[in-house]
């Protein structure tokens, strides 16, 4: 066998071995199949269900009232929001209400509705808490949550929350907080112009005294100090 023939034979054996190895191991590196990438998740309606007591979960209850069906009644002392259904029934939701010094009462109407609202803290809040952001775009991380219903010309809203553990407590600066799934449910049931009755921090039957009164807020005794390392908590808890 000539030198050329021997070289050709060795080359053929080497190529056959290489092909056999590639067939077992898979495609050649330079023929890699494209990697499939998962599409980014769409923004879904968030749910932030907390382990709430049964009494604070959304439910239809017996509710005697002279208010017309479609009216919202906010029972501040018991942290309930009622949507009057008529026939002695109401849809009841657990809520978070104003903390000490920030509760208010009176009658308002829903003047605007907004999905995924932006948050611009009012000047009164910034004066008390200058460390708050001046603006926050709407989204799952926004303290106003999934929906907001604005009350009259006041700074108050019925809105969602990204802190579901605050439901059933006096924690806000006067706004009414609801679970995101609850505020979304309520949002779909009411319209602009809906009457909202806010009961005072007192006995339930005192409602009649405030149904025609304007909204009133009692200012706190002193400004809220800036947070310290020992006392800091997220701004939506304030």
């Amino acid at each position: 066998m000539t030198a050329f023939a021997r070289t050709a034979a060795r080359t053929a054996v080497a190529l056959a071995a290489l092909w056999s190895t590639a067939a077992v191991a898979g495609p050649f590196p330079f023929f890699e199949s494209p990697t499939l990438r998962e599409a980014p998740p769409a923004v879904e309606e968030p749910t932030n269900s907390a382990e709430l007591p049964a009494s604070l979960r959304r439910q239809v209850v017996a509710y005697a009232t002279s208010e017309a069906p479609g009216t919202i009644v906010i029972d501040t002392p018991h942290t309930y929001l009622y949507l009057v259904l008529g026939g002695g029934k109401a849809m009841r939701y657990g809520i978070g209400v104003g903390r000490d010094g920030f509760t208010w009462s009176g009658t308002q109407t829903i003047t605007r509705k907004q999905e995924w609202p932006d948050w611009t803290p009012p000047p009164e809040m910034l004066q008390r808490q200058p460390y708050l952001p001046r603006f926050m775009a709407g989204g799952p991380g926004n303290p106003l949550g999934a929906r907001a219903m604005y009350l009259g010309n006041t700074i108050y809203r019925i809105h969602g929350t990204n802190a579901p553990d605050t439901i059933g407590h006096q924690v806000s600066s006067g706004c009414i907080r609801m679970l995101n799934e609850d505020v979304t449910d309520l949002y779909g049931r009411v319209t602009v112009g809906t009457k909202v009755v806010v009961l005072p921090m007192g006995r339930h039957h005192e409602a009649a005294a405030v149904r025609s009164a304007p909204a009133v807020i009692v200012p706190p005794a002193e400004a809220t100090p800036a947070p310290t390392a020992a006392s800091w908590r997220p701004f939506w808890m304030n």
Side-chain angles (χ1 to χ4, degrees):
M1 182 180 290
T2 66
F4 176 80
R6 285 195 297 273
T7 301
R10 292 193 196 101
T11 302
V13 170
L15 287 173
L18 179 60
W19 180 263
S20 175
T21 302
V24 173
F28 290 116
F30 43 82
F31 289 123
E32 286 184 359
S33 57
T35 301
L36 296 178
R37 297 183 179 179
E38 293 184 2
V43 176
E44 300 287 346
E45 297 295 345
T47 58
N48 54 10
S49 296
E51 290 300 322
L52 293 178
S55 61
L56 291 174
R57 297 172 191 160
R58 182 171 78 236
Q59 57 194 288
V60 175
V61 298
Y63 189 65
T65 180
S66 60
E67 298 293 348
T71 302
I72 292 173
V73 179
I74 294 171
D75 185 348
T76 307
H78 298 102
T79 63
Y80 291 141
L81 181 152
Y82 294 91
L83 175 63
V84 179
L85 301 177
K89 301 288 185 181
M91 182 70 76
R92 188 177 73 188
Y93 307 81
I95 58 174
V97 299
R99 63 185 182 272
D100 241 3
F102 287 87
T103 58
W104 57 282
S105 59
T107 300
Q108 290 293 337
T109 58
I110 294 175
T111 50
R112 183 161 70 94
K113 297 170 62 183
Q114 183 66 52
E115 297 185 8
W116 295 109
D118 296 333
W119 183 47
T120 303
E124 300 91 331
M125 183 177 287
L126 290 174
Q127 187 174 9
R128 295 190 305 270
Q129 299 161 281
Y131 49 86
L132 293 178
R134 270 46 183 176
F135 173 81
M136 183 178 287
N142 191 299
L144 296 186
R147 302 288 186 271
M149 288 155 276
Y150 297 77
L151 303 180
N153 294 317
T154 72
I155 61 173
Y156 305 122
R157 292 152 290 208
I158 300 169
H159 64 77
T161 182
N162 53 19
D165 58 324
T166 62
I167 300 302
H169 300 283
Q170 296 174 244
V171 290
S172 77
S173 293
C175 286
I176 307 303
R177 299 182 182 185
M178 305 178 71
L179 293 177
N180 275 335
E181 53 264 45
D182 283 354
V183 78
T184 300
D185 180 83
L186 179 65
Y187 186 96
R189 294 174 182 269
V190 300
T191 60
V192 170
T194 293
K195 181 181 179 183
V196 180
V197 178
V198 181
L199 306 184
M201 184 58 77
R203 291 173 297 176
H204 194 160
H205 67 263
E206 291 175 354
V210 299
R211 287 181 180 167
S212 60
V216 177
I217 183 170
V218 180
E222 57 186 59
T224 304
T228 64
S231 64
W232 183 88
R233 60 180 180 171
F235 56 80
W236 56 81
M237 297 285 288
N238 297 302

